[in-house]
Amino acid sequence: MSPAPPHHRRRARTVLFALLTTALVGTLVLRPDAERADAAPAAFVHPGVTVSRGQLDFARSKVEAGAQPWKSAFDRMTASRYADLNRVPKPRAVVECGSYSNPDHGCTDEREDAIAAYTHALAWYVTRDERHARKSIELMDAWSAVIRDHTNSNAPLQTGWAASSWAKAAEIVKHTYGGGWAGSGRFATVLRDVYLPEIINGSNSNGNWELTMMEAAVGISVFLEDRASYDRAMARFRTRTAAYVYLASDGDLPKTVPSQNLDTREKIVKYWQNQSTFVTGLTQETCRDFTHTGYGISSISHVAETSRIQGQDLYGTDVGERLRHALGFQAKYEQGAAVPDWLCGGSLHLGLGPVTEVGHNALHNRLGFAMTHTQALTERTRPSGTDNLFVAWETLTHGDNPA
């Protein structure tokens, strides 16, 4: 039997999402929002996905003053290919991404056009050069005009990566650019009908998948002002974060995601890359490699930051504690600490990536936690750039930012 055409699969996902959302709303009314630290706000704050207006204003003032590290961070961003005003978008109706983006039929193009849209949105805000706002709009409009589906094995992760950047770009442009964006409604429709159904149900793959997917779902929900999908994504995010970063208070074994049926020690150890000794700050992917671990840590910090902007504050829950210890544990070894034999067989694959600024700023600068290893790594790697997937320019937006 030949596979269903993309529009049939998309329609099925959209219908399923609607049914599940309706069921979720029915359960949420039993528990008042006031009891839930991660509940959607009564009124959404804009721009409010990972970066706020106050943070943008702070970054802009520092760049205008030529202050460091913000000026060098801005210069690095504007010198990148993502800030090119001559960039030509490369949209596709169907983006096909296999494992490790092989095949890559539009995968790199979509992710990088989304990062470029966000880059131009930031450049617009800092410089007030309308050409950047219009270029961001051009990129978003080009994709919203044609994108209809994501296929193959990496489709959920690809959708999460791209949508994380799309949502940040759209928030800034829609809520700070006064020149008008006629296509914002179509872009919102595509986020709702093409992107959200692909990610909202989560993933039982390695934890960075679901964390990035929930980051994107939360961002889309803010842009759409969709409280039901926000609540649903946040609930899944909380469960996954607890199952991704181990704390000694969890007990002898890490927490698990119920749908994965990791109901024995043997299954859990295998899922944790055959690591059998669990210590505070270890992640489910530490013994895989630090690069994928960095993806997970980054998404945890992004969702926590969005929650803070929206009037809740997950940094004050176990999410903040797990993020703080995950950053510190990985940063210690990223900077060259000797690896004990009990940890990943005594060998680590380093390469954490530009993922420390948001968590370091929130937990060290705002909340006052001592984060020696994280601070040293953050300052050594400034100004942070982009991973070319979904993390970009966070020294500019969050470095020592009090807003």
Side-chain angles (χ1 to χ4, degrees):
M1 179 181 293
S2 60
H7 67 280
H8 286 169
R9 291 198 303 274
R10 187 178 70 253
R11 185 180 303 135
R13 286 200 303 267
T14 302
V15 171
L16 176 61
F17 170 60
L19 291 172
L20 289 170
T21 298
T22 300
L24 175 71
V25 172
T27 62
L28 285 179
V29 296
L30 300 177
R31 189 177 185 190
D33 286 350
E35 297 178 13
R36 300 176 57 245
D38 54 2
F44 285 96
V45 176
H46 303 291
V49 177
T50 307
V51 60
S52 68
R53 186 183 296 270
Q55 289 170 321
L56 291 168
D57 286 340
F58 175 84
R60 182 175 186 236
S61 70
K62 291 298 185 181
V63 172
E64 288 182 331
Q68 299 296 352
W70 305 277
K71 180 61 166 61
S72 60
F74 178 76
D75 290 344
R76 181 174 184 180
M77 181 184 80
T78 54
S80 76
R81 65 182 184 273
Y82 297 109
D84 184 2
L85 284 165
N86 294 313
R87 184 181 189 88
V88 177
K90 299 178 181 179
R92 286 179 181 239
V94 178
V95 174
E96 181 186 0
C97 307
S99 181
Y100 291 91
S101 294
N102 182 23
D104 181 345
H105 295 155
C107 317
T108 300
D109 291 339
E110 181 186 33
R111 292 193 307 266
E112 296 197 351
D113 275 352
I115 291 174
Y118 178 52
T119 301
H120 283 288
L122 290 173
W124 140 252
Y125 199 91
V126 172
T127 67
R128 293 302 196 268
D129 183 339
E130 292 195 19
R131 293 177 300 169
H132 288 294
R134 290 195 294 267
K135 177 58 69 173
S136 185
I137 289 171
E138 177 189 342
L139 291 159
M140 291 187 283
D141 282 353
W143 278 89
S144 69
V146 301
I147 183 68
R148 294 298 176 263
D149 204 6
H150 297 83
T151 64
N152 214 321
S153 59
N154 254 37
L157 181 59
Q158 168 71 22
T159 305
W161 279 336
S164 294
S165 297
W166 288 134
K168 288 185 289 189
E171 274 287 293
I172 293 172
V173 169
K174 181 177 180 180
H175 297 286
T176 72
Y177 175 57
W181 177 15
S184 64
R186 185 179 70 192
F187 192 78
T189 298
V190 165
L191 289 181
R192 178 183 292 107
D193 294 348
V194 177
Y195 288 87
L196 193 57
E198 186 72 52
I199 56 180
I200 193 65
N201 293 323
S203 166
N204 288 326
S205 185
N206 282 300
N208 81 86
W209 276 50
E210 187 161 84
L211 288 167
T212 298
M213 291 161 69
M214 292 309 104
E215 175 189 343
V218 166
I220 289 172
S221 298
V222 171
F223 184 71
L224 298 179
E225 299 195 331
D226 185 333
R227 300 183 78 248
S229 62
Y230 183 99
D231 284 339
R232 185 151 189 257
M234 275 294 190
R236 191 175 292 276
F237 167 78
R238 292 292 299 272
T239 299
R240 175 60 70 175
T241 299
Y244 193 71
V245 183
Y246 176 79
L247 297 176
S249 58
D250 294 337
D252 292 338
L253 294 171
K255 292 181 179 293
T256 61
V257 175
S259 61
Q260 293 189 269
N261 298 312
L262 299 174
D263 51 6
T264 68
R265 178 181 177 84
E266 181 182 13
K267 289 180 182 179
I268 292 172
V269 167
K270 183 178 180 181
Y271 184 60
W272 281 62
Q273 323 297 325
N274 297 311
Q275 173 70 13
S276 58
T277 301
F278 302 103
V279 297
T280 293
L282 182 80
T283 81
Q284 183 257 317
E285 296 187 272
T286 296
C287 293
R288 180 188 184 187
D289 59 62
F290 273 28
T291 300
H292 287 88
T293 297
Y295 301 160
I297 289 174
S298 182
S299 286
I300 293 171
S301 68
H302 291 168
V303 175
E305 192 72 1
T306 296
S307 80
R308 186 187 71 88
I309 295 167
Q310 295 305 324
Q312 295 77 37
D313 196 347
L314 290 179
Y315 290 119
T317 71
D318 76 299
V319 170
E321 187 178 5
R322 293 178 195 277
L323 175 60
R324 176 167 62 92
H325 287 296
L327 283 168
F329 187 88
Q330 266 65 219
K332 174 182 175 181
Y333 294 108
E334 183 74 16
Q335 295 186 100
V339 183
D341 291 340
W342 59 263
L343 178 60
C344 310
S347 178
L348 293 171
H349 300 283
L350 303 178
L352 193 60
V355 303
T356 64
E357 287 279 15
V358 176
H360 173 260
N361 185 56
L363 295 162
H364 175 67
N365 293 334
R366 282 202 294 258
L367 297 183
F369 288 104
M371 299 177 70
T372 305
H373 298 300
T374 305
Q375 181 175 356
L377 179 61
T378 300
E379 292 175 352
R380 179 170 66 82
T381 54
R382 282 177 172 171
S384 64
T386 175
D387 66 357
N388 303 308
L389 297 173
F390 73 110
V391 181
W393 323 124
E394 293 184 348
T395 298
L396 174 64
T397 56
H398 291 82
D400 299 337
N401 192 324

